[in-house]
PDB file of all heavy atoms in Angstrom:
ATOM      1  N   GLN A1017       3.494   1.135   0.708  1.00 99.00           N
ATOM      2  CA  GLN A1017       4.118   2.294   1.331  1.00 99.00           C
ATOM      3  C   GLN A1017       5.465   2.663   0.707  1.00 99.00           C
ATOM      4  O   GLN A1017       5.914   3.789   0.837  1.00 99.00           O
ATOM      5  CB  GLN A1017       4.286   2.041   2.836  1.00 99.00           C
ATOM      6  CG  GLN A1017       2.942   1.945   3.545  1.00 99.00           C
ATOM      7  CD  GLN A1017       3.088   1.719   5.038  1.00 99.00           C
ATOM      8  OE1 GLN A1017       3.213   0.589   5.486  1.00 99.00           O
ATOM      9  NE2 GLN A1017       3.072   2.785   5.809  1.00 99.00           N
ATOM     10  N   HIS A1118      -0.719  -6.668   3.533  1.00 99.00           N
ATOM     11  CA  HIS A1118      -0.540  -5.453   4.327  1.00 99.00           C
ATOM     12  C   HIS A1118      -1.479  -4.392   3.728  1.00 99.00           C
ATOM     13  O   HIS A1118      -1.054  -3.353   3.243  1.00 99.00           O
ATOM     14  CB  HIS A1118       0.936  -5.015   4.310  1.00 99.00           C
ATOM     15  CG  HIS A1118       1.327  -4.112   5.439  1.00 99.00           C
ATOM     16  ND1 HIS A1118       2.370  -4.391   6.301  1.00 99.00           N
ATOM     17  CD2 HIS A1118       0.826  -2.920   5.856  1.00 99.00           C
ATOM     18  CE1 HIS A1118       2.500  -3.396   7.183  1.00 99.00           C
ATOM     19  NE2 HIS A1118       1.571  -2.497   6.933  1.00 99.00           N
ATOM     20  N   TRP A1119      -2.775  -4.765   3.666  1.00 98.00           N
ATOM     21  CA  TRP A1119      -3.908  -3.857   3.424  1.00 98.00           C
ATOM     22  C   TRP A1119      -4.219  -3.496   1.971  1.00 98.00           C
ATOM     23  O   TRP A1119      -5.276  -2.939   1.702  1.00 98.00           O
ATOM     24  CB  TRP A1119      -3.754  -2.531   4.205  1.00 98.00           C
ATOM     25  CG  TRP A1119      -3.447  -2.685   5.644  1.00 98.00           C
ATOM     26  CD1 TRP A1119      -3.515  -3.835   6.401  1.00 98.00           C
ATOM     27  CD2 TRP A1119      -2.998  -1.662   6.543  1.00 98.00           C
ATOM     28  NE1 TRP A1119      -3.156  -3.569   7.698  1.00 98.00           N
ATOM     29  CE2 TRP A1119      -2.822  -2.257   7.821  1.00 98.00           C
ATOM     30  CE3 TRP A1119      -2.747  -0.306   6.392  1.00 98.00           C
ATOM     31  CZ2 TRP A1119      -2.405  -1.518   8.934  1.00 98.00           C
ATOM     32  CZ3 TRP A1119      -2.323   0.429   7.492  1.00 98.00           C
ATOM     33  CH2 TRP A1119      -2.145  -0.180   8.751  1.00 98.00           C
ATOM     34  N   ASN A1163      -1.149  -8.439   8.083  1.00 98.00           N
ATOM     35  CA  ASN A1163      -0.631  -7.430   8.992  1.00 98.00           C
ATOM     36  C   ASN A1163      -1.804  -6.642   9.559  1.00 98.00           C
ATOM     37  O   ASN A1163      -2.601  -6.068   8.798  1.00 98.00           O
ATOM     38  CB  ASN A1163       0.294  -6.448   8.257  1.00 98.00           C
ATOM     39  CG  ASN A1163       0.733  -5.312   9.159  1.00 98.00           C
ATOM     40  OD1 ASN A1163       1.581  -5.506  10.031  1.00 98.00           O
ATOM     41  ND2 ASN A1163       0.151  -4.126   8.999  1.00 98.00           N
ATOM     42  N   GLU A1164      -1.914  -6.605  10.869  1.00 98.00           N
ATOM     43  CA  GLU A1164      -2.914  -5.780  11.558  1.00 98.00           C
ATOM     44  C   GLU A1164      -4.292  -5.836  10.913  1.00 98.00           C
ATOM     45  O   GLU A1164      -4.795  -4.837  10.404  1.00 98.00           O
ATOM     46  CB  GLU A1164      -2.443  -4.318  11.636  1.00 98.00           C
ATOM     47  CG  GLU A1164      -1.148  -4.130  12.378  1.00 98.00           C
ATOM     48  CD  GLU A1164      -0.825  -2.665  12.667  1.00 98.00           C
ATOM     49  OE1 GLU A1164      -1.605  -1.778  12.262  1.00 98.00           O
ATOM     50  OE2 GLU A1164       0.204  -2.409  13.307  1.00 98.00           O
ATOM     51  N   ASN A1167      -6.714  -2.810  11.685  1.00 96.00           N
ATOM     52  CA  ASN A1167      -6.780  -1.612  10.847  1.00 96.00           C
ATOM     53  C   ASN A1167      -7.456  -1.914   9.524  1.00 96.00           C
ATOM     54  O   ASN A1167      -8.217  -1.101   8.997  1.00 96.00           O
ATOM     55  CB  ASN A1167      -5.367  -1.069  10.585  1.00 96.00           C
ATOM     56  CG  ASN A1167      -4.978  -0.035  11.623  1.00 96.00           C
ATOM     57  OD1 ASN A1167      -5.743   0.871  11.934  1.00 96.00           O
ATOM     58  ND2 ASN A1167      -3.792  -0.169  12.177  1.00 96.00           N
ATOM     59  N   TYR A1294       3.301   0.107  19.287  1.00 98.00           N
ATOM     60  CA  TYR A1294       3.687   1.522  19.218  1.00 98.00           C
ATOM     61  C   TYR A1294       3.434   2.262  20.521  1.00 98.00           C
ATOM     62  O   TYR A1294       4.220   3.096  20.924  1.00 98.00           O
ATOM     63  CB  TYR A1294       2.959   2.211  18.053  1.00 98.00           C
ATOM     64  CG  TYR A1294       3.494   1.752  16.716  1.00 98.00           C
ATOM     65  CD1 TYR A1294       2.908   0.676  16.034  1.00 98.00           C
ATOM     66  CD2 TYR A1294       4.609   2.345  16.148  1.00 98.00           C
ATOM     67  CE1 TYR A1294       3.429   0.229  14.823  1.00 98.00           C
ATOM     68  CE2 TYR A1294       5.136   1.905  14.936  1.00 98.00           C
ATOM     69  CZ  TYR A1294       4.536   0.844  14.288  1.00 98.00           C
ATOM     70  OH  TYR A1294       5.065   0.404  13.101  1.00 98.00           O
ATOM     71  N   GLU A1363       6.958  -4.877  14.229  1.00 99.00           N
ATOM     72  CA  GLU A1363       7.062  -3.430  14.005  1.00 99.00           C
ATOM     73  C   GLU A1363       7.173  -2.718  15.333  1.00 99.00           C
ATOM     74  O   GLU A1363       6.384  -2.981  16.252  1.00 99.00           O
ATOM     75  CB  GLU A1363       5.803  -2.872  13.308  1.00 99.00           C
ATOM     76  CG  GLU A1363       5.640  -3.261  11.878  1.00 99.00           C
ATOM     77  CD  GLU A1363       4.395  -2.643  11.241  1.00 99.00           C
ATOM     78  OE1 GLU A1363       3.863  -1.632  11.750  1.00 99.00           O
ATOM     79  OE2 GLU A1363       3.953  -3.201  10.228  1.00 99.00           O
ATOM     80  N   TRP A1413      10.168  -0.425  12.532  1.00 99.00           N
ATOM     81  CA  TRP A1413       9.364   0.255  11.515  1.00 99.00           C
ATOM     82  C   TRP A1413       9.903   1.665  11.421  1.00 99.00           C
ATOM     83  O   TRP A1413       9.764   2.406  12.367  1.00 99.00           O
ATOM     84  CB  TRP A1413       7.867   0.280  11.860  1.00 99.00           C
ATOM     85  CG  TRP A1413       7.144   0.927  10.719  1.00 99.00           C
ATOM     86  CD1 TRP A1413       6.869   2.260  10.552  1.00 99.00           C
ATOM     87  CD2 TRP A1413       6.678   0.272   9.528  1.00 99.00           C
ATOM     88  NE1 TRP A1413       6.273   2.482   9.346  1.00 99.00           N
ATOM     89  CE2 TRP A1413       6.148   1.279   8.706  1.00 99.00           C
ATOM     90  CE3 TRP A1413       6.682  -1.057   9.078  1.00 99.00           C
ATOM     91  CZ2 TRP A1413       5.609   0.996   7.430  1.00 99.00           C
ATOM     92  CZ3 TRP A1413       6.144  -1.327   7.836  1.00 99.00           C
ATOM     93  CH2 TRP A1413       5.609  -0.313   7.027  1.00 99.00           C
ATOM     94  N   GLU A1420       2.742   7.129   4.642  1.00 98.00           N
ATOM     95  CA  GLU A1420       2.116   6.733   5.909  1.00 98.00           C
ATOM     96  C   GLU A1420       0.580   6.787   5.764  1.00 98.00           C
ATOM     97  O   GLU A1420      -0.098   7.569   6.415  1.00 98.00           O
ATOM     98  CB  GLU A1420       2.660   7.602   7.056  1.00 98.00           C
ATOM     99  CG  GLU A1420       2.071   7.351   8.438  1.00 98.00           C
ATOM    100  CD  GLU A1420       2.002   5.881   8.873  1.00 98.00           C
ATOM    101  OE1 GLU A1420       2.865   5.076   8.494  1.00 98.00           O
ATOM    102  OE2 GLU A1420       1.044   5.558   9.592  1.00 98.00           O
ATOM    103  N   TRP A1421       0.077   5.998   4.847  1.00 98.00           N
ATOM    104  CA  TRP A1421      -1.360   5.812   4.655  1.00 98.00           C
ATOM    105  C   TRP A1421      -2.093   7.160   4.557  1.00 98.00           C
ATOM    106  O   TRP A1421      -1.656   8.020   3.802  1.00 98.00           O
ATOM    107  CB  TRP A1421      -1.923   4.900   5.764  1.00 98.00           C
ATOM    108  CG  TRP A1421      -1.135   3.617   5.873  1.00 98.00           C
ATOM    109  CD1 TRP A1421      -0.332   3.227   6.910  1.00 98.00           C
ATOM    110  CD2 TRP A1421      -1.024   2.561   4.884  1.00 98.00           C
ATOM    111  NE1 TRP A1421       0.254   2.006   6.631  1.00 98.00           N
ATOM    112  CE2 TRP A1421      -0.154   1.564   5.411  1.00 98.00           C
ATOM    113  CE3 TRP A1421      -1.578   2.349   3.613  1.00 98.00           C
ATOM    114  CZ2 TRP A1421       0.175   0.404   4.713  1.00 98.00           C
ATOM    115  CZ3 TRP A1421      -1.260   1.185   2.929  1.00 98.00           C
ATOM    116  CH2 TRP A1421      -0.401   0.243   3.475  1.00 98.00           C
ATOM    117  N   PHE A1429       8.990   7.716   9.459  1.00 98.00           N
ATOM    118  CA  PHE A1429       9.288   6.619  10.392  1.00 98.00           C
ATOM    119  C   PHE A1429      10.610   5.920  10.075  1.00 98.00           C
ATOM    120  O   PHE A1429      11.035   5.033  10.796  1.00 98.00           O
ATOM    121  CB  PHE A1429       8.185   5.556  10.325  1.00 98.00           C
ATOM    122  CG  PHE A1429       6.968   5.825  11.176  1.00 98.00           C
ATOM    123  CD1 PHE A1429       5.896   6.545  10.682  1.00 98.00           C
ATOM    124  CD2 PHE A1429       6.896   5.343  12.480  1.00 98.00           C
ATOM    125  CE1 PHE A1429       4.760   6.777  11.463  1.00 98.00           C
ATOM    126  CE2 PHE A1429       5.773   5.563  13.268  1.00 98.00           C
ATOM    127  CZ  PHE A1429       4.703   6.284  12.760  1.00 98.00           C
TER     128      PHE A1429
HETATM  129  C1  LIG B 502       1.306   0.266  11.566  1.00 77.59           C
HETATM  130  C2  LIG B 502       1.298  -0.242  10.133  1.00 77.59           C
HETATM  131  C3  LIG B 502       2.464   0.241   9.305  1.00 77.59           C
HETATM  132  C4  LIG B 502       2.811   1.684   9.600  1.00 77.59           C
HETATM  133  C5  LIG B 502       2.946   1.904  11.086  1.00 77.59           C
HETATM  134  C6  LIG B 502       3.357   3.306  11.464  1.00 77.59           C
HETATM  135  O1  LIG B 502       0.005   0.263  12.063  1.00 77.59           O
HETATM  136  O2  LIG B 502       1.298  -1.639  10.130  1.00 77.59           O
HETATM  137  O3  LIG B 502       2.170   0.036   7.953  1.00 77.59           O
HETATM  138  O4  LIG B 502       1.890   2.531   9.023  1.00 77.59           O
HETATM  139  O5  LIG B 502       1.744   1.574  11.727  1.00 77.59           O
END
Side-chain angles (χ1 to χ4, degrees):
Q1017 294 181 274
H1118 201 125
W1119 310 348
N1163 174 75
E1164 300 190 359
N1167 268 313
Y1294 289 92
E1363 289 182 20
W1413 183 270
E1420 178 48 32
W1421 308 112
F1429 276 89

